[in-house]
Amino acid sequence: EISSLTGEVKGELRIAVVTTAKYFMPHLLGVFVHRYPDVEPRLFVTNREKILERLEEAQDDLLIMGKVPEELEVDATPFLDNDLVVIAPPGHRLAKKRAISLKQLLNERFLLREPGSGTRLAMDKLFKEEHLVLEPYMELGSIEAIKQAVMAGLGISVMSEHNLRLELDSGKISVLDVKGFPLRRHWFAVHASSRKLSLVAQTFLDFIRDEGSAILHD
Ligand code: PGA
């Protein structure tokens, strides 16, 4: 019976997410906790490198990241699309151009995440595949700082569309039409294969897999 099962889903739920996931994870937790009021969520936010350390140290029930680690034995469940886009201030001279090449982008001042960031890793890889070297004009350790810097006209950047909802809606940031973008990635919920999930963690995993995308795109 649903009601008796609901009552059993309780206790701590420890989730660690990469910084880019902090924009949507509270919304999923909000719905989940409403359904299972006795769950005590703990949300830890940091970059990919630190998330991988936490995974090795088994500090969390589930970890949310943009790329499955190859070096560790894990179970990974994709649950949401993650489109990376190239962003510029509105009125940027490339804003009206179509099919901009990666090479053309190299003339721009790039605002990049810190080494250790999964977004940074994806960017470096993309340019490397085209035999191009992406030189940061500035490295910033936070998405908020990058967004502010883009709006201030300091340069262009790349980030997950999930992180830009408010700025795109209000027209404060523009998305450039660059070949190969949006770069489609996925969000994965990951845990060490050796770890048996608690009932709460398993219920949350099923929930984000089955309903996450619909909840966030509403
Ligand atoms: P980041 O992670 O917050 O470390 O850039 C994003 C990702 O792993 O996709």
Side-chain angles (χ1 to χ4, degrees):
E1 213 186 293
I2 290 179
S3 57
S4 64
L5 189 64
T6 303
E8 279 172 30
V9 179
K10 62 183 170 207
E12 263 206 336
L13 172 62
R14 284 183 311 268
I15 303 171
V17 306
V18 286
T19 58
T20 44
K22 71 182 167 203
Y23 291 84
F24 66 79
M25 191 41 81
H27 297 278
L28 295 181
L29 277 176
V31 177
F32 189 70
V33 168
H34 187 75
R35 194 175 299 173
Y36 303 102
D38 294 329
V39 170
E40 298 156 35
R42 310 270 178 267
L43 184 60
F44 192 88
V45 181
T46 186
N47 74 14
R48 176 177 178 85
E49 193 170 272
K50 303 254 167 48
I51 288 284
L52 292 177
E53 281 170 28
R54 290 181 70 92
L55 177 60
E56 284 197 73
E57 290 160 6
Q59 298 206 41
D60 310 281
D61 293 310
L62 290 169
L63 301 103
I64 309 297
M65 57 186 90
K67 180 174 170 294
V68 181
E70 283 148 18
E71 57 280 15
L72 301 164
E73 274 283 320
V74 295
D75 289 3
T77 309
F79 66 96
L80 189 66
D81 291 342
N82 177 20
D83 286 351
L84 298 191
V85 292
V86 183
I87 57 168
H92 189 275
R93 61 191 176 74
L94 291 180
K96 291 210 167 66
K97 284 241 161 62
R98 293 289 150 257
I100 302 161
S101 68
L102 284 187
K103 200 160 173 214
Q104 268 177 292
L105 279 189
L106 288 185
N107 300 324
E108 300 301 316
R109 294 190 300 211
F110 253 98
L111 311 173
L112 288 179
R113 288 283 304 281
E114 74 286 1
S117 143
T119 312
R120 174 68 180 270
L121 200 68
M123 281 308 92
D124 287 342
K125 182 164 168 280
L126 181 73
F127 279 79
K128 207 168 162 201
E129 279 165 5
E130 301 287 321
H131 308 288
L132 300 170
V133 183
L134 182 57
E135 294 282 1
Y137 171 68
M138 247 173 107
E139 275 179 355
L140 298 93
S142 112
I143 298 167
E144 276 71 32
I146 290 180
K147 290 201 283 194
Q148 296 301 330
V150 167
M151 289 190 262
L154 277 170
I156 67 169
S157 190
V158 171
M159 70 176 61
S160 173
E161 217 173 14
H162 284 285
N163 306 161
L164 288 161
R165 211 172 262 185
L166 296 177
E167 290 78 7
L168 295 181
D169 284 353
S170 61
K172 295 211 160 115
I173 286 184
S174 305
V175 170
L176 298 184
D177 181 9
V178 178
K179 277 185 233 161
F181 284 88
L183 183 65
R184 173 139 299 183
R185 301 172 77 218
H186 299 280
W187 293 109
F188 297 91
V190 171
H191 66 95
S193 303
S194 57
R195 186 182 181 109
K196 188 173 166 3
L197 290 184
S198 66
L199 178 62
V200 186
Q202 185 63 54
T203 307
F204 186 68
L205 180 59
D206 295 344
F207 164 76
I208 58 176
R209 185 196 56 213
D210 298 342
E211 301 178 52
S213 184
I215 289 169
L216 294 170
H217 290 112
D218 238 5

